[in-house]
Amino acid sequence: MANPLPQMPLRGSTSALKFDRKNPALLPRFLEDVDLLGTAAGLSDAQKIRTSIQYADLEESEGWELLPAAMALPAVWNDFITAVKALYPGCKVQEYRAKPMRTLADLSEYKRKFMKVSQFLINGRFLSELDRETTSTHCEKGILQEDKTGDSSPALLAFIY
């Protein structure tokens, strides 16, 4: 007999995902968790959107369900994510600190963006090349193995984004 797909926990249960508007920096992680669990549970894009809205607190969910991306047919999960993130400018600040680096592609994307931003800072004389190399070295070591504080990304990019 085949194993049944896991089910999403009910809103309000101790195991349910939660989004607290007081900490918008965690929004990308919340949406990623909904995506991972929703995919494992076999949810469609429309069901993931509905689940995200249900897991958000009441005030947030009332706003999210009015987004055009939440009502679109066919539903597109990535469009919903983009629309929700646009409501919380603070979530972009922490996105790379919250985004786990699971693949070489993730690490490569991070490094490309790091180099682009750090070069801009060097050109404006806000950062020295030595500081960039030091931070880059810390990046490569820290991203793949979290340091004692649990922060797996350099403070430089957290400050810039």
Side-chain angles (χ1 to χ4, degrees), residues 19-22 24 27 30 52-67 80 84 87-88:
F19 172 67
D20 181 1
R21 70 179 176 271
K22 295 175 188 169
L27 179 63
F30 167 78
S52 297
I53 292 169
Q54 289 174 341
Y55 286 160
D57 66 35
L58 182 60
E59 189 171 328
E60 301 310 297
S61 66
E62 289 173 344
W64 291 8
E65 62 192 1
L66 296 175
L67 292 169
F80 176 76
V84 170
L87 299 173
Y88 304 90

Side-chain angles (χ1 to χ4, degrees), residues 35-91:
D35 187 40
L36 290 170
L37 292 173
T39 299
L43 300 184
S44 67
D45 280 5
Q47 291 169 317
K48 289 179 192 177
I49 291 169
R50 188 78 219 137
T51 300
S52 297
I53 292 169
Q54 289 174 341
Y55 286 160
D57 66 35
L58 182 60
E59 189 171 328
E60 301 310 297
S61 66
E62 289 173 344
W64 291 8
E65 62 192 1
L66 296 175
L67 292 169
M71 298 183 281
L73 292 175
V76 179
W77 173 244
N78 287 331
D79 292 349
F80 176 76
I81 290 173
T82 301
V84 170
K85 285 181 178 181
L87 299 173
Y88 304 90
C91 83

Side-chain angles (χ1 to χ4, degrees), residues 28-157:
R29 185 171 284 176
F30 167 78
L31 294 169
E32 182 180 316
D33 288 347
V34 170
D35 187 40
L36 290 170
L37 292 173
T39 299
L43 300 184
S44 67
D45 280 5
Q47 291 169 317
K48 289 179 192 177
I49 291 169
R50 188 78 219 137
T51 300
S52 297
I53 292 169
Q54 289 174 341
Y55 286 160
D57 66 35
L58 182 60
E59 189 171 328
E60 301 310 297
S61 66
E62 289 173 344
W64 291 8
E65 62 192 1
L66 296 175
L67 292 169
M71 298 183 281
L73 292 175
V76 179
W77 173 244
N78 287 331
D79 292 349
F80 176 76
I81 290 173
T82 301
V84 170
K85 285 181 178 181
L87 299 173
Y88 304 90
C91 83
K92 262 317 224 189
V93 171
Q94 300 282 332
E95 187 167 326
Y96 281 94
R97 290 179 66 188
K99 181 180 179 182
M101 301 293 159
R102 293 193 174 113
T103 66
L104 185 56
D106 291 339
L107 181 60
S108 296
E109 176 189 3
Y110 183 90
K111 186 159 181 144
R112 283 191 305 275
K113 289 187 179 193
F114 175 84
M115 296 307 288
K116 178 181 174 184
V117 172
S118 63
Q119 189 60 50
F120 173 80
L121 293 173
I122 289 170
N123 293 346
R125 301 196 191 288
F126 297 105
L127 182 72
S128 72
E129 290 194 29
L130 178 61
D131 287 338
R132 176 178 62 186
E133 294 309 315
T134 301
T135 305
S136 179
T137 301
H138 173 73
C139 260
E140 291 170 8
K141 290 179 182 175
I143 287 174
L144 298 174
Q145 182 177 356
E146 291 187 359
D147 63 21
K148 293 177 186 174
T149 66
D151 180 9
S152 62
S153 303
L156 176 65
L157 280 183

